[in-house]
Amino acid sequence: MINYLYREQNWKSQLSDLITDPQELLNILNLSQDDLLSGAILASEQFKLRIPRAFVEKMDISNPKDPLLLQVLPHHLELEEHADFVTDPLGEEQANHLPGILHKYESRFLLTLTGACAVHCRYCFRRHFPYQENLPKNHDWENIQNYILQHPQINEIILSGGDPLTISNQKLETWIKRLESIEQLQTLRIHTRVPVVIPTRLDDELLTLLKNSRLRIVIVIHSNHANELDDFTVSQLKNLADQHITVLNQAVFLKGVNDNADVLVNLSKRLFEARVMPYYLHVLDKVKGAHHFDLDNAIIEQIYTDILARLPGYLVPKLVREIAGEKNKTPLYGVTVA
Ligand SMILES: *Cc1c(COP(=O)(O)O)cnc(C)c1O
Ligand code: SF4
């Protein structure tokens, strides 16, 4: 078993001390297979390895198939070319109206304040996204404000990735205050994986900031496996519910990680213990480098049918796929998975 050295450490020091070297990661996990290391070195040249130590502490030692490790360890299969796996599967570059804004759905848009994430998930559909050209500077605020005012149907802003909880509370506060000043906005949503990989990010300062906002706060975390939700993480997440913040989870259906009804049932139950409601179960986006996580439609349907039968309805995440050009995520159950 691993020693818990990092999980309760201050989040800023954790963010500045991420594991980025494949050799170091494999040493910690006592994995000495040469092919793992050479694959990780090659694949990390395209999308860097980046993992908080607190997340590694949740992995099993000496298990190359650990479901948490598989999500973050670069693999030589990422370098395979597959014709239908492309760099921008969702056509996001088209929906980029202003720096920082990704507006595809009517009442809400994504606002990207940073291109950085605390962890690099190998299946991420944003792994090829040209963030650095797209970040809003302070002087862009006026344009964003005008954009919102010109679209009165917008009532919710979603801070998204990169990961908005990698930025300081002070900077978050600046943006929250700006958004609060626009009367038509009712809800602020934060899409983040940081509470799962660095649970101390949910510090008192952040909780106070969120609690005092006039906006309804919704936090959507991203967890794919119950092993990510150890007791400390669960207790941190419960603090959000204590502040009457709505907390939801989105997961991605991933071969080798959670392509199994027991795993998904346990995930939902564990989320519920943390007072987090399952929201979406995403079918993998066909992004270049992620083909080895892809599942057959027949398997997806079979597992999903199973979890529908085994869980109360409120613990079943919505199975969805994102289709470029659609006005919302496309629900898959009851329609043909295509
Ligand atoms: C997923 C997504 C949203 C949020 O959609 P919900 O169904 O409301 O969760 C908004 N904008 C974009 C571009 C998205 O990809
Ligand atoms: S955007 Fe989310 S899924 Fe993608 S790398 Fe960052 S944390 Fe992982």
Side-chain angles (χ1 to χ4, degrees):
M1 240 347 251
I2 242 165
N3 283 325
Y4 294 112
L5 297 172
Y6 297 102
R7 66 180 172 187
E8 297 188 29
Q9 199 181 72
N10 169 284
W11 67 270
K12 283 193 180 150
S13 50
Q14 291 200 52
L15 258 188
S16 60
D17 182 31
L18 300 169
I19 297 177
T20 56
D21 173 11
Q23 177 85 68
E24 184 186 6
L25 175 68
L26 295 173
N27 285 348
I28 293 170
L29 294 172
N30 198 23
L31 293 168
S32 53
Q33 292 89 328
D34 285 344
D35 57 329
L36 278 185
L37 179 61
S38 58
I41 290 172
L42 272 179
S44 62
E45 284 168 13
Q46 303 218 331
F47 185 48
K48 283 202 172 64
L49 178 148
R50 191 172 165 92
I51 315 172
R53 291 169 196 274
F55 191 63
V56 176
E57 288 179 344
K58 298 176 185 178
M59 297 176 187
D60 292 340
I61 297 290
S62 308
N63 178 8
K65 297 255 152 69
D66 178 86
L68 279 51
L69 177 66
L70 291 181
Q71 296 176 55
V72 295
L73 179 67
H75 195 280
H76 70 84
L77 288 174
E78 293 175 27
L79 303 171
E80 276 185 7
E81 292 285 340
H82 295 271
D84 51 342
F85 280 67
V86 299
T87 52
D88 184 21
L90 307 178
E92 298 216 315
E93 292 192 49
Q94 309 291 315
N96 232 198
H97 297 290
L98 283 175
I101 291 188
L102 194 64
H103 189 194
K104 297 209 287 192
Y105 303 159
E106 186 166 309
S107 65
R108 55 220 184 274
F109 67 71
L110 302 187
L111 177 60
T112 301
L113 300 182
T114 171
C117 291
V119 63
H120 280 175
C121 312
R122 309 312 298 177
Y123 51 84
C124 182
F125 70 96
R126 297 216 175 88
R127 56 186 284 166
H128 309 284
F129 203 67
Y131 280 121
Q132 300 316 323
E133 302 150 33
N134 185 43
L135 296 179
K137 313 272 183 309
N138 265 324
H139 65 258
D140 288 317
W141 165 240
E142 206 173 321
N143 293 334
I144 294 172
Q145 184 176 29
N146 287 333
Y147 186 86
I148 297 170
L149 293 170
Q150 283 155 16
H151 295 81
Q153 66 276 29
I154 292 171
N155 54 36
E156 174 173 9
I157 305 298
I158 304 170
L159 303 184
S160 178
D163 197 311
L165 290 191
T166 59
I167 68 179
S168 68
N169 290 329
Q170 200 181 9
K171 195 166 170 203
L172 274 176
E173 184 170 21
T174 302
W175 281 92
I176 292 175
K177 292 276 177 280
R178 287 172 175 166
L179 296 169
E180 282 172 345
S181 74
I182 303 182
E183 223 173 308
Q184 77 194 60
L185 296 179
Q186 295 158 358
T187 306
L188 173 70
R189 202 194 309 182
I190 301 177
H191 280 187
T192 176
R193 190 147 159 75
V194 176
V196 171
V197 297
I198 306 180
T200 51
R201 178 64 186 91
L202 302 175
D203 59 10
D204 290 342
E205 205 177 57
L206 178 66
L207 291 175
T208 305
L209 179 63
L210 299 178
K211 180 178 71 176
N212 291 331
S213 177
R214 80 156 180 89
L215 299 167
R216 288 287 326 257
I217 307 287
V218 179
I219 296 191
V220 183
I221 63 165
H222 171 179
S223 173
N224 298 315
H225 195 288
N227 290 5
E228 295 173 5
L229 305 170
D230 61 5
D231 290 344
F232 181 67
T233 307
V234 166
S235 78
Q236 290 290 101
L237 288 168
K238 279 182 175 169
N239 292 338
L240 291 172
D242 283 344
Q243 305 301 336
H244 307 285
I245 293 167
T246 302
V247 194
L248 307 173
N249 181 60
Q250 49 184 343
V252 183
F253 227 145
L254 298 167
K255 190 192 227 162
V257 174
N258 57 14
D259 53 336
N260 169 311
D262 288 338
V263 168
L264 290 175
V265 165
N266 288 339
L267 173 61
S268 274
K269 289 181 172 168
R270 188 65 175 155
L271 287 166
F272 193 48
E273 281 171 16
R275 291 194 257 151
V276 179
M277 299 308 290
Y279 180 36
Y280 280 144
L281 178 57
H282 294 270
V283 171
L284 185 74
D285 296 313
K286 294 192 184 301
V287 64
K288 188 166 180 264
H291 181 269
H292 57 295
F293 290 112
D294 198 30
L295 291 162
D296 286 345
N297 293 338
I299 291 174
I300 290 174
E301 284 191 343
Q302 186 205 322
I303 296 171
Y304 195 69
T305 305
D306 239 28
I307 68 170
L308 273 167
R310 288 174 57 186
L311 286 168
Y314 57 85
L315 289 187
V316 181
K318 295 184 184 71
L319 181 67
V320 291
R321 185 193 285 288
E322 192 160 347
I323 300 176
E326 294 292 316
K327 294 193 164 311
N328 48 264
K329 316 241 184 265
T330 304
L332 292 180
Y333 193 76
V335 293
T336 309
V337 178

